[in-house]
Amino acid sequence: MKKIILTGDRPTGKLHIGHYVGSLKRRVELQNSGEFDEIFIMIADAQALTDNADNPEKVRQNIIEVALDYLSCGLDPAKSTLFIQSQIPELTELSFYYMNLVTVARLQRNPTVKSEIAMRNFEASIPVGFFTYPISQAADITAFKATTVPVGEDQEPMIEQTREIVRKFNSVYGDALVEPEILLPDNQACLRLPGTDGKAKMSKSLGNCIYLSDTEADVKKKVMSMYTDPNHIQVSDPGQIEGNTVFTYLDAFCKADAFEKYLPDYKNLDELKDHYKRGGLGDVKVKKFLNSVLQEELTPIRARRKEYEANIPFVYQILKEGSEKAERVAADTLAGVKRAMKINYFDDMELIAAQAEKYKNQES
Ligand code: TRP
């Protein structure tokens, strides 16, 4: 069986370094591993509209931001198909058929949807499209016969629901769909990078994000004002590593050779942490080190972004060609689905012949 990746993001804002360590970096590695036959990366604008019905302009403006972030991180249109969800009408059609295989109660149990509903204060006024987006996500995944879906842990319930839909479909109509596997980030610190203020999640509304498109000066400013251990006041005070955002970021970003380059007094991160815990190591020194580590990672990304920013029509062309290719694949899957459901009436010569036969007999 072919190994196929599908994943994507809602275009509701620029991508930040949490997205980068949590998913983008891994995608690029997977892309370059040569282990996959096909890679589809989707800008999920239709899904973004399920809770932004009043604000289509936000979604529209952010498509290019996400595309620029993808390309600048090293997703390569020659190796990965980058496309826009709404340009693939087959996805909507698949969703419509899958809706019959899922109960309202099952959707209500989806923990990610539950917490999103609470977060958005939808309460009694949940848009139907939002409520059913796990079904549309199953369409996204199965349309491309994805075997592997690299996503964050918050997406686990979606993949589980997709697997249920696939099993149900295949048992009712015969094997037409592929059951996907989730691929979670491997580094614990990357599962969910906290915001620069130490809060559980980076989010635009909290203003605690470091964006991939931030300038060198922005990044430095954000790092130097990051949340650390509030009880580590004097340099000589013993400090805490746990819950200390600077160290969480170092866990996520620091490479083995960084000490030699930027902080040769220490051999590795454990030594640095030990000194911090003992006392005698100031936050500023650790922050400066983190800044060097981050800048090293972000500088080439920023440079590539500039190149693509200078050629926006070309970026749209990449998305257009990607969407055309994605549609061909999705159309093929949809044809298979309709064949399995036997709703491909005009191609079903057996059906037409049988009906003709039935009425011929009635005449005589
Ligand atoms: N739900 C994902 C997010 O919020 C985006 C998404 C839509 C997706 N369809 C998908 C991810 C299919 C993986 C597979 O980021």
Side-chain angles (χ1 to χ4, degrees):
M1 191 163 74
K2 277 194 170 181
K3 291 178 79 179
I4 300 172
I5 285 181
L6 176 115
T7 188
D9 303 275
R10 295 180 194 174
T12 51
K14 296 174 172 192
L15 301 180
H16 52 60
I17 62 170
H19 294 118
Y20 180 70
V21 284
S23 62
L24 291 174
K25 193 174 171 182
R26 184 80 176 286
R27 288 182 202 170
V28 175
E29 286 163 9
L30 292 169
Q31 168 193 272
N32 296 336
S33 73
E35 268 185 50
F36 291 87
D37 299 289
E38 295 279 357
I39 300 176
F40 295 95
I41 312 284
M42 179 179 77
I43 301 180
D45 63 333
Q47 188 175 108
L49 286 168
T50 65
D51 65 334
N52 284 286
D54 307 344
N55 205 352
E57 195 53 29
K58 170 168 127 191
V59 175
R60 182 164 173 264
Q61 294 298 332
N62 278 305
I63 287 174
I64 192 75
E65 295 297 342
V66 172
L68 287 167
D69 287 332
Y70 282 170
L71 292 164
S72 54
C73 284
L75 287 174
D76 174 357
K79 296 179 185 157
S80 299
T81 304
L82 310 180
F83 71 99
I84 306 179
Q85 185 184 26
S86 63
Q87 304 309 295
I88 322 298
E90 287 79 1
L91 299 177
T92 325
E93 203 173 329
L94 283 173
S95 305
F96 194 64
Y97 298 127
Y98 295 171
M99 282 186 181
N100 304 327
L101 307 176
V102 181
T103 64
V104 170
R106 177 63 184 89
L107 284 168
Q108 278 166 335
R109 275 201 307 275
N110 185 309
T112 298
V113 176
K114 248 193 197 167
S115 71
E116 284 175 320
I117 287 171
M119 233 162 60
R120 287 166 179 68
N121 297 319
F122 278 151
E123 281 140 22
S125 57
I126 308 163
V128 173
F130 181 80
F131 183 62
T132 56
Y133 91 73
I135 301 175
S136 118
Q137 194 155 335
D140 302 336
I141 295 167
T142 55
F144 301 95
K145 300 197 162 74
T147 52
T148 310
V149 186
V151 279
E153 55 178 348
D154 63 315
Q155 295 296 303
E156 218 162 352
M158 308 304 159
I159 313 306
E160 197 41 52
Q161 267 208 287
T162 302
R163 290 165 61 89
E164 284 174 29
I165 290 172
V166 169
R167 288 196 290 264
K168 179 101 190 193
F169 186 97
N170 288 346
S171 78
V172 175
Y173 303 114
D175 276 354
L177 300 177
V178 176
E179 205 172 315
E181 308 264 356
I182 190 170
L183 184 64
L184 289 167
D186 44 9
N187 175 343
Q188 203 50 35
C190 297
L191 272 176
R192 177 165 289 177
L193 202 70
T196 52
D197 57 358
K199 298 236 168 73
K201 204 178 171 179
M202 276 201 184
S203 100
K204 191 161 79 184
S205 51
L206 294 173
N208 60 2
C209 303
I210 295 177
Y211 293 101
L212 290 169
S213 50
D214 277 350
T215 64
E216 187 175 343
D218 287 338
V219 173
K220 180 154 192 210
K221 203 168 114 209
K222 290 180 183 180
V223 169
M224 295 317 287
S225 61
M226 253 168 90
Y227 177 87
T228 59
D229 170 5
N231 299 316
H232 184 248
I233 297 159
Q234 312 272 356
V235 171
S236 57
D237 291 340
Q240 255 214 338
I241 304 298
E242 220 170 275
N244 187 321
T245 319
V246 176
F247 282 100
T248 310
Y249 281 28
L250 282 173
D251 282 331
F253 286 96
C254 189
K255 293 188 199 134
D257 65 353
F259 285 93
E260 205 183 311
K261 282 195 230 163
Y262 308 115
L263 203 60
D265 292 351
Y266 301 86
K267 275 207 283 300
N268 53 43
L269 200 49
D270 286 334
E271 253 188 45
L272 189 74
K273 286 180 182 173
D274 283 341
H275 192 186
Y276 193 83
K277 282 191 268 191
R278 269 199 320 272
L281 174 58
D283 282 343
V284 171
K285 192 164 174 181
V286 189
K287 284 177 171 175
K288 281 191 171 155
F289 176 57
L290 173 62
N291 181 57
S292 306
V293 166
L294 282 181
Q295 299 291 359
E296 180 181 321
E297 192 92 31
L298 296 176
T299 301
I301 295 176
R302 213 178 277 132
R304 226 168 312 158
R305 205 179 204 276
K306 283 271 159 289
E307 284 173 31
Y308 284 107
E309 282 173 1
N311 205 345
I312 295 295
F314 176 58
V315 177
Y316 278 103
Q317 186 60 29
I318 290 170
L319 296 175
K320 181 168 183 239
E321 283 168 21
S323 299
E324 283 163 0
K325 173 171 176 193
E327 185 172 11
R328 286 194 293 275
V329 176
D332 188 62
T333 303
L334 178 64
V337 159
K338 292 171 97 166
R339 229 179 293 124
M341 294 174 72
K342 294 185 179 285
I343 56 172
N344 59 333
Y345 312 112
F346 307 132
D347 298 330
D348 192 343
M349 293 313 151
E350 240 173 75
L351 170 74
I352 297 171
Q355 299 288 8
E357 195 60 30
K358 181 171 129 192
Y359 285 96
K360 196 157 72 199
N361 292 341
Q362 274 178 10
E363 252 170 55
S364 57

